[in-house]
Amino acid sequence: MTVTVAIVGRPNVGKSTLFNRLVGRKIALVDDTPGVTRDRREADGRIGDLRFKVLDTAGYEDRTDGSLEDRMRQQTEIAIRDADIILFMIDAKAGVTPLDERFAQVLRRAGKDVHLIGNKAEGRAADPGLMEAYSLGFGEPVAISAEHGLGLADLHAIVSKAVDAAAEKEAEASHALEDLMPEVDVDVTDEGMDEDGPVRRWDPRRHLNVAIIGRPNAGKSTLINRMVGEDRLLTGPEAGITRDSILVPWEYGGRVINLVDTAGMRRKSRIELKLEKLAVSDSLRSIQYAEVVVLLLDAQIPFEKQDLALADLVEREGRAMVIAVNKWDTIEDKNEKLAELREQCERYLPQLKGVPLVTISGLQGRNIDKLMSAIFAIEERWNSHVSTARLNRWLGAMTESHPPPAVSGRRLKLRYMTQAKIRPPSFILFCSRPEAVPNSYQRYLVNGMRETFDLPGTPIRLWLRGGKNPFDKSEK
């Protein structure tokens, strides 16, 4: 049984810094600006030999007016409900504030196992604040410094007790269940067994990382909430709500899909604030770690300059991509608009000819099945492998129908071709003078591979190398 630890507190006390420390990686954005974290983030944490689940939360603000701060508070309260241990963090240097006192009342009503954490306690300046923390009614505060890694031994003791208690409770429940169940002989057929035991219906290791990207207010968080069937991410009419890239696991079609919500990305010239730069950098890293990227467009203003820049970025990174046109419920003449979108896609993105384009409504949950079918199809193409024999038969037919041009009065010789890797499909072409092969002829070959080997919309890498065909004995 996995123990869940939630880190809560008012804004700017160091919750995300401790979260990164426990996870062992800097995956949550950290800045001196209050309110950097808005969504709750989940990851696997560790202290020494202990393994547990850790939740990072938004800074608690006592608002109930439907504002962004109110929605952030609701996300924090969901994390409190789901957690086994609450680490209530205060700023030891600043002491106890009225908002800390208000939050302490909320935690007492929650009836959870709450431990008071005094962060930023690396110097004597924190001593008065630690003494003042007794007034919150949670006993002796644990003095730590998340930034410097001090006090983790005390956190280890707290989590260790919870892990032991959870294991004991799970054992008692298991024994009680065994006492209630009668002894029966179970006939297990070959259909449900393999050499190692029963066959699972789905393998959780077969996960797929899918990043949702797009301009601000395109509906990325709303789409993910609709896909997973709960208000997992913070949404609203305000543009730029999402800052961190949040991973949301979701089971679909017998597979675990890791949906990654990202911050909306504007043109570089419009990004001025340091915090927005950090958020965009986090989104770019999410593209690098994704396998499939969904570029979400606004149906009212599709294929803006920034949309095309993002598509080009995904192609350069070699990720598989699906274009999803959101807010399709707002379009009146859908047939005419769809034909226009397909024409624009072919014209603006020739480097991704045939990329899947799906119309959806994240708000109403329309065509999510079509979106997932497109994701699985493009993933399969992204993992395609073509045999060397088939490649060279194709290369012979292509050069016969359209021979490579003569450069400086000398004919180019294309000798041999093989696939070097997948994800994305990458090919090596051995030829007489690699530097002389025109880009137009390389595009001719790449487009031919897309059509012949069923690779529409997939990034294709073609590397030219000099040298002779190693399997041609006549050239030795």
Side-chain angles (χ1 to χ4, degrees):
M1 180 177 179
T2 303
V3 170
T4 302
V5 179
I7 308 171
V8 302
R10 62 178 177 83
N12 212 32
V13 295
K15 300 182 296 297
S16 294
T17 303
L18 178 59
F19 176 84
N20 288 340
R21 174 72 62 177
L22 296 178
V23 173
R25 299 181 285 137
K26 291 184 179 180
I27 61 175
L29 294 184
V30 176
D31 192 70
D32 293 335
T33 307
V36 173
T37 302
R38 289 176 171 173
D39 287 291
R40 69 185 190 274
R41 178 192 285 274
E42 177 182 315
D44 295 327
R46 59 177 294 181
I47 307 176
D49 58 333
L50 290 180
R51 302 292 184 273
F52 51 92
K53 185 187 299 181
V54 58
L55 302 178
D56 186 22
T57 63
Y60 186 87
E61 298 198 31
D62 192 14
R63 300 282 293 274
T64 57
D65 54 0
S67 63
L68 175 60
E69 290 76 12
D70 178 23
R71 300 196 298 275
M72 291 163 60
R73 175 190 57 79
Q74 295 174 23
Q75 289 285 320
T76 299
E77 291 178 351
I78 292 174
I80 294 172
R81 181 197 65 193
D82 295 341
D84 302 302
I85 305 173
I86 307 295
L87 301 183
F88 176 25
M89 181 178 286
I90 65 169
D91 185 337
K93 290 183 179 179
V96 177
T97 67
L99 189 54
D100 290 327
E101 295 174 346
R102 173 73 184 111
F103 196 17
Q105 296 175 5
V106 173
L107 292 177
R108 277 193 287 270
R109 289 197 299 267
K112 293 285 185 172
D113 182 16
V114 180
H115 297 268
L116 186 59
I117 307 297
N119 191 28
K120 307 179 185 179
E122 59 271 14
R124 292 185 177 181
D127 291 344
L130 292 173
M131 295 300 296
E132 189 179 357
Y134 281 90
S135 64
L136 294 173
F138 292 109
E140 181 179 359
V142 178
I144 72 165
S145 173
E147 184 176 359
H148 299 92
L150 303 177
L152 293 183
D154 294 325
L155 294 183
H156 182 281
I158 292 172
V159 179
S160 179
K161 289 181 182 179
V163 170
D164 293 341
E168 184 177 347
K169 185 181 297 185
E170 186 176 16
E172 291 176 356
S174 178
H175 292 321
L177 184 62
E178 290 177 358
D179 293 339
L180 291 173
M181 293 183 65
E183 294 184 3
V184 295
D185 294 330
V186 180
D187 182 17
V188 181
T189 63
D190 292 339
E191 182 179 0
M193 296 289 292
D194 63 8
E195 295 179 355
D196 299 322
V199 176
R200 295 180 178 179
R201 291 187 178 181
W202 54 272
D203 186 356
R205 293 172 297 181
R206 294 181 56 208
H207 63 273
L208 176 63
N209 296 325
V210 179
I212 315 292
I213 68 170
R215 289 181 287 114
N217 219 28
K220 300 180 290 297
S221 300
T222 301
L223 173 61
I224 292 179
N225 284 344
R226 179 62 65 174
M227 293 171 83
V228 302
E230 63 172 301
D231 291 335
R232 175 63 183 81
L233 300 168
L234 199 62
T235 61
E238 305 91 347
I241 290 179
T242 302
R243 287 173 173 170
D244 287 282
S245 294
I246 307 296
L247 186 147
V248 181
W250 175 49
E251 184 185 340
Y252 182 90
R255 298 182 65 181
V256 175
I257 313 297
N258 290 329
L259 299 170
V260 182
D261 187 25
T262 62
M265 290 180 276
R266 300 189 296 168
R267 290 203 300 266
K268 189 175 182 180
S269 60
R270 293 187 177 182
I271 300 176
E272 298 178 355
L273 299 177
K274 174 188 173 184
L275 188 54
E276 187 175 359
K277 293 180 181 179
L278 293 173
V280 170
S281 297
D282 202 27
S283 299
L284 296 178
R285 281 194 298 271
S286 298
I287 294 175
Q288 295 172 349
Y289 286 105
E291 293 162 307
V292 178
V293 176
V294 176
L295 175 59
L296 201 63
L297 308 184
D298 188 328
Q300 297 291 345
I301 44 174
F303 293 109
E304 293 284 292
K305 184 176 180 180
Q306 182 64 5
D307 296 325
L308 301 179
L310 290 175
D312 187 58
L313 172 64
V314 174
E315 193 278 334
R316 293 200 310 270
E317 290 292 339
R319 306 299 96 182
M321 188 175 74
V322 174
I323 295 178
V325 183
N326 194 24
K327 306 180 184 179
W328 194 244
D329 53 300
T330 63
I331 301 299
E332 294 183 1
D333 192 344
K334 291 181 168 52
N335 291 332
E336 181 181 351
K337 186 66 173 181
L338 182 58
E340 179 185 349
L341 289 172
R342 295 193 185 282
E343 186 275 329
Q344 290 177 330
C345 186
E346 293 294 319
R347 175 158 45 94
Y348 293 140
L349 299 173
Q351 72 275 32
L352 288 170
K353 186 177 181 181
V355 62
L357 188 146
V358 183
T359 57
I360 65 170
S361 172
L363 185 63
Q364 299 181 355
R366 293 182 181 177
N367 289 345
I368 288 180
D369 288 341
K370 290 185 178 179
L371 175 61
M372 294 308 302
S373 296
I375 288 174
F376 290 148
I378 198 69
E379 182 211 7
E380 183 178 357
R381 298 189 190 110
W382 192 58
N383 285 278
S384 295
H385 182 271
V386 184
S387 67
T388 300
R390 188 181 177 197
L391 266 176
N392 285 281
R393 286 196 300 269
W394 166 84
L395 180 62
M398 291 291 285
T399 54
E400 183 177 350
S401 62
H402 185 184
V407 180
S408 300
R410 297 168 56 192
R411 177 72 65 181
L412 297 173
K413 294 182 180 180
L414 307 185
R415 295 190 171 97
Y416 175 74
M417 194 172 186
T418 187
Q419 183 168 357
K421 60 187 287 291
I422 59 174
R423 303 162 64 97
S426 303
F427 304 89
I428 299 178
L429 174 60
F430 293 93
C431 55
S432 57
R433 290 182 293 156
E435 71 285 351
V437 180
N439 291 332
S440 59
Y441 197 80
Q442 295 182 44
R443 288 195 298 271
Y444 162 72
L445 294 176
V446 169
N447 289 333
M449 281 189 281
R450 289 191 197 282
E451 183 177 349
T452 305
F453 303 125
D454 190 26
L455 298 173
T458 306
I460 293 178
R461 300 289 184 261
L462 180 61
W463 299 319
L464 304 181
R465 296 288 185 269
K468 298 179 180 181
N469 182 351
F471 297 98
D472 190 350
K473 297 181 180 180
S474 64
E475 296 188 3
K476 293 184 180 179

